[in-house]
Amino acid sequence: SIDKQGLELMADGSDFVPIRATIVDKNGTKKVLAEEQVYFEVEGPASVIGGLTNFANPAKTSFGTATALIKATHVPGTIRVKAYVNGLKSDQITLISQPVKTKMNFDIDYLNNSKKIDETKIVIQQNIKEELPRDVKILQEEIRRLRLELVGKDQDLMELRSNPQK
């Protein structure tokens, strides 16, 4: 699930908001022991701040939650952010970046000629994973499923210990 509170974004090229994705079970209970890599995809006039080199995307969960910083461009519009973990149900949120009401002081030519983020590294990593033999993929999926099952049982045990029946 994605935290949908307090999300206002100005299209000034530097405003950003944190988007938090939380691992939950089928009942919506947060799984605080889950250790997953959450991938964030952005569609529209925004981007994720960071990438593979600083572990921003994908982001590893901490206490079942992963956070990405979504930065607006200087163009207002609709932004869709999707968070997903391989093998789990994804979630998405829609943001609207509002136009700036004051005159912006920046050089559009400088902006257009600035170094852009190289997003091909993420695609390359995904392609390498897809080239694994089928039996390796099956075993990896089984390990991931068993880890999730173990996390669920550990969390259930923690909840029983913290809420003893009287």
Side-chain angles (χ1 to χ4, degrees), residues 93-112:
I93 186 170
T94 301
L95 310 169
I96 305 293
S97 61
Q98 302 297 324
V100 179
K101 294 180 175 135
T102 59
K103 183 178 181 331
M104 300 278 289
N105 290 325
F106 66 92
D107 184 347
I108 192 71
D109 292 329
Y110 178 80
L111 177 68
N112 291 334

Side-chain angles (χ1 to χ4, degrees), residues 3-41:
D3 182 5
K4 299 172 173 68
Q5 297 178 355
L7 300 174
E8 295 182 10
L9 201 55
M10 296 303 294
D12 63 4
S14 63
D15 195 15
F16 66 91
V17 293
I19 301 293
R20 292 179 185 86
T22 302
I23 307 299
V24 297
D25 65 13
K26 63 183 176 185
N27 299 320
T29 303
K30 181 178 177 181
K31 294 300 177 182
V32 296
L33 298 178
E35 291 185 13
E36 297 291 338
Q37 294 291 329
V38 178
Y39 294 83
F40 293 90
E41 290 180 358

Side-chain angles (χ1 to χ4, degrees), residues 25-107:
D25 65 13
K26 63 183 176 185
N27 299 320
T29 303
K30 181 178 177 181
K31 294 300 177 182
V32 296
L33 298 178
E35 291 185 13
E36 297 291 338
Q37 294 291 329
V38 178
Y39 294 83
F40 293 90
E41 290 180 358
V42 179
E43 182 183 308
S47 63
V48 176
I49 297 175
L52 285 174
T53 55
N54 65 348
F55 309 107
N57 195 20
K60 186 175 180 182
T61 58
S62 177
F63 295 101
T65 301
T67 302
L69 300 176
I70 307 301
K71 183 177 93 166
T73 66
H74 63 280
V75 178
T78 302
I79 301 163
R80 286 180 189 75
V81 181
K82 178 180 178 183
Y84 67 93
V85 174
N86 291 331
L88 298 178
K89 184 181 175 189
S90 64
D91 199 0
Q92 104 174 5
I93 186 170
T94 301
L95 310 169
I96 305 293
S97 61
Q98 302 297 324
V100 179
K101 294 180 175 135
T102 59
K103 183 178 181 331
M104 300 278 289
N105 290 325
F106 66 92
D107 184 347

Side-chain angles (χ1 to χ4, degrees), residues 128-142:
I128 290 171
K129 188 173 182 179
E130 292 175 357
E131 294 173 11
L132 293 173
R134 185 175 183 276
D135 57 341
V136 173
K137 288 181 185 180
I138 291 170
L139 288 172
Q140 286 178 334
E141 177 59 29
E142 180 69 12

